[in-house]
Amino acid sequence: TYGYQISNPPYGGKWEKSKDAVKKEHDEKGFSGRFGAGLPRISDGQLLFVQHMVSKMRSPEEGGGRISVFLNGSPLFTGAAGSSESEIRRYLIEHDMVEAIVAMPNDFFFNTGIATYIWVITNSKAEDRKGKVQLINANNIFTKMRKSLGSKRKEFSSEQIEKIVSLYEAFENADSKLSKVLDND
């Protein structure tokens, strides 16, 4: 088991070569295996990757685990209510594992100009974060590169990284913030 995991699984990676083994584990082991929450469409295995990582997190009793995973928009937006993708997202949210989602600038990665997101997943949220998901829009925080590297045209300066981290660290209880506003009326 791991305390920290960082990953960038392939976007839109088909998992048909592993279909039989993955489906067998899902059917036979359910939640005692890696893929109990569901099996996403065969054309995109990002949520399988996420479930695999979740299964490898250190237990909360041993200090818990944290994952930072770079995903495209598919795991966030694909699948209607009741679909496997929706059920996997539901599992992560109902088990209070999604701590933050950071929207990254387009044209940030070498091989793709599409929208990407960093999901921060944990099984040991701080008390003030329980029951909440922090959304950080870093889409407009970037420096244009002087020379493109494939599709990569944007990057972060050290100061911009510090700004994004400070947004994450400055997390406030939305209820107390709202009550402060209401108390001032």
Side-chain angles (χ1 to χ4, degrees):
T1 60
Y2 301 97
Y4 298 95
Q5 301 174 65
I6 299 173
S7 181
N8 183 12
Y11 304 151
K14 295 182 180 182
W15 54 279
E16 61 193 339
K17 290 181 183 177
S18 305
K19 180 181 177 184
D20 292 340
V22 169
K23 187 166 176 7
K24 181 178 179 183
E25 181 176 333
H26 170 73
D27 293 344
E28 291 179 4
K29 293 187 176 181
F31 285 100
S32 25
R34 295 173 292 172
F35 312 115
L39 303 178
R41 60 193 73 206
I42 203 84
S43 61
D44 190 356
Q46 291 177 88
L47 285 171
L48 282 181
F49 212 95
V50 169
Q51 288 183 88
H52 172 76
M53 293 174 74
V54 166
S55 76
K56 301 298 180 190
M57 279 196 296
R58 187 173 53 200
S59 73
E61 298 76 31
E62 296 172 340
R66 175 167 276 125
I67 297 168
S68 290
V69 59
F70 288 83
L71 303 170
N72 69 14
S74 180
L76 194 55
F77 303 114
T78 300
S83 69
S84 290
E85 288 89 351
S86 175
E87 291 304 309
I88 296 166
R89 286 189 298 267
R90 179 201 308 249
Y91 175 82
L92 293 170
I93 290 169
E94 285 183 352
H95 286 83
D96 207 13
M97 292 182 172
V98 182
E99 184 169 59
I101 297 176
V102 181
M104 300 290 287
N106 291 359
D107 302 326
F108 193 77
F109 288 97
F110 175 74
N111 60 347
T112 183
I114 62 174
T116 54
Y117 303 85
I118 301 173
W119 288 40
V120 180
I121 300 169
T122 184
N123 59 2
S124 57
K125 278 187 180 179
E127 200 59 41
D128 64 333
R129 289 182 176 267
K130 287 187 177 178
K132 298 176 178 83
V133 176
Q134 183 180 16
L135 304 175
I136 299 173
N137 184 0
N139 194 272
N140 293 316
I141 302 173
F142 61 85
T143 301
K144 285 187 177 183
M145 297 173 58
R146 284 185 283 144
K147 184 176 180 183
S148 298
L149 295 171
S151 298
K152 182 175 174 60
R153 295 177 180 88
K154 299 173 183 171
E155 61 188 358
F156 290 143
S157 67
S158 296
E159 293 80 20
Q160 290 164 331
I161 292 170
E162 287 177 26
K163 179 177 181 173
I164 295 166
V165 170
S166 71
L167 289 169
Y168 170 79
E169 290 174 342
F171 178 79
E172 290 183 26
N173 183 323
D175 295 334
S176 68
K177 200 172 188 180
L178 178 61
S179 67
K180 285 179 191 174
V181 170
L182 293 175
D183 289 343
N184 291 333
D185 287 343

